Amino acid sequence: MRRRPGIAGLQTAAAARDQYRLLGENVAKVRADLMKEQLATFRSQLEEFAQKHKNDIRKNPTFRSQFHEMCAKIGVDPLASNKGFWAELLGIGDFYYELGVQIVEICLATRSHNGGLINLQELCSLLSQRRKTAREAISEDDCLRAISKLKVLGSGFEVISIGRKKLVRSVPTELNKDHNEILELAQGQGYVTAEEVEKRLFWSSGRAMDTLETLLKEGLSMIDDGHRDGKRRYWFPCVASISVTTGLIG
């Protein structure tokens, strides 16, 4: 028959648990203090790196993207404010502010053509044309960072993925699963027909036409009836060739 532990034994066990708990808390505190010290060192080294390579960060989009990745790993956001150390040192706050303004202008200028949904590659191409005289080259990563700052406007600016493409939405239009499937299907040729939608997506005629007409009403597609086969084409500028809208921006 097993004997129950006495009061002294219970007290000893409780004291041991308290010691283990205190030891665990001390270890956690030491680790936290060490991490803070390491982060402070990293930040200091990052500032030295930024000062040494600021011209490369400003002018080289690949270098700039890698710099942002380094910043993110230690919790530094150089775009958090237009004022402060990073903005004064690199001027990248002003760079992304200017880029954001130009993105808004391009989205507004092309909205009547694409319904407020533009291919990210096309947007970058139009931005590059517009910034021919600017010293800094831009990349898709730059565009994405500038767009992320536009969200504070609360006017629907965001990046969505449709199949293989990233599209920038500048209007608060909600796209459902059916809309996305048609946009993905249109990536092959830039357009679809109702018959193609029915066949490829296994939809009923009513479902295909209802979705296509909704996208047309939202301004996301254009119709083309001038074909010998008599089939109406629904063109989607947001997934069509970049050259389609090149002439829209001066």
Side-chain angles (χ1 to χ4, degrees):
M1 183 176 179
R2 297 179 61 183
R3 295 178 59 186
R4 293 183 178 180
I7 295 177
L10 291 173
Q11 289 176 337
T12 301
R17 283 196 299 272
D18 287 340
Q19 287 180 336
Y20 284 128
R21 179 177 57 79
L22 289 172
L23 179 61
E25 289 175 355
N26 288 335
V27 170
K29 186 177 183 305
V30 169
R31 285 180 177 173
D33 290 343
L34 182 60
M35 286 183 66
K36 287 179 182 178
E37 185 178 332
Q38 288 176 336
L39 281 175
T41 301
F42 287 150
R43 289 191 186 203
S44 176
Q45 291 174 342
L46 187 62
E47 289 177 7
E48 292 177 9
F49 177 86
Q51 287 176 323
K52 182 178 179 180
H53 299 284
K54 62 181 179 181
N55 287 332
D56 290 320
I57 294 170
R58 286 174 179 171
K59 296 178 181 179
N60 187 320
T62 302
F63 201 94
R64 188 161 54 243
S65 175
Q66 293 170 345
F67 174 72
H68 279 295
E69 288 178 11
M70 285 195 300
C71 288
K73 287 178 181 178
I74 61 171
V76 172
D77 184 3
L79 305 182
S81 171
N82 275 350
K83 297 179 180 179
F85 171 79
W86 294 105
E88 291 176 7
L89 172 64
L90 301 174
I92 55 177
D94 292 335
F95 168 74
Y96 284 104
Y97 172 78
E98 179 186 344
L99 209 58
V101 170
Q102 292 171 342
I103 286 172
V104 171
E105 291 174 347
I106 289 174
C107 287
L108 289 175
T110 59
R111 188 172 291 177
S112 62
H113 178 70
N114 56 34
L117 201 60
I118 185 171
N119 188 327
L120 177 62
Q121 286 184 324
E122 180 181 353
L123 176 60
C124 290
S125 175
L126 293 172
L127 270 171
S128 295
Q129 291 178 35
R130 186 165 187 158
R131 296 173 57 85
K132 283 180 180 177
T133 58
R135 290 176 300 174
E136 307 93 345
I138 59 169
S139 65
E140 286 190 12
D141 183 74
D142 290 326
C143 289
L144 291 172
R145 293 184 190 280
I147 291 166
S148 71
K149 300 305 171 184
L150 292 175
K151 288 184 179 180
V152 299
L153 298 176
S155 55
F157 275 91
E158 67 172 331
V159 178
I160 59 176
S161 295
I162 304 291
R164 304 182 304 275
K165 296 182 182 292
K166 288 183 178 179
L167 307 177
V168 178
R169 184 169 66 185
S170 60
V171 290
T173 302
E174 289 297 327
L175 297 176
N176 61 31
K177 185 173 180 291
D178 283 0
H179 300 153
N180 289 344
E181 287 192 32
I182 285 183
L183 287 171
E184 186 171 358
L185 183 61
Q187 288 181 19
Q189 307 174 94
Y191 70 86
V192 296
T193 64
E195 292 81 1
E196 183 183 10
V197 171
E198 294 170 31
K199 183 178 179 180
R200 297 279 297 277
L201 300 180
F202 304 101
W203 288 3
S204 67
S205 174
R207 181 180 180 184
M209 287 306 302
D210 181 64
T211 308
L212 286 168
E213 289 301 315
T214 298
L215 291 168
L216 182 64
K217 187 186 302 182
E218 292 291 340
L220 297 176
S221 68
M222 301 183 296
I223 56 175
D224 177 9
D225 292 326
H227 293 270
R228 291 181 180 179
D229 59 11
K231 294 180 180 180
R232 169 171 286 185
R233 268 73 163 164
Y234 291 82
W235 282 91
F236 293 89
C238 58
V239 296
S241 171
I242 289 176
S243 62
V244 172
T245 56
T246 298
L248 289 177
I249 304 296

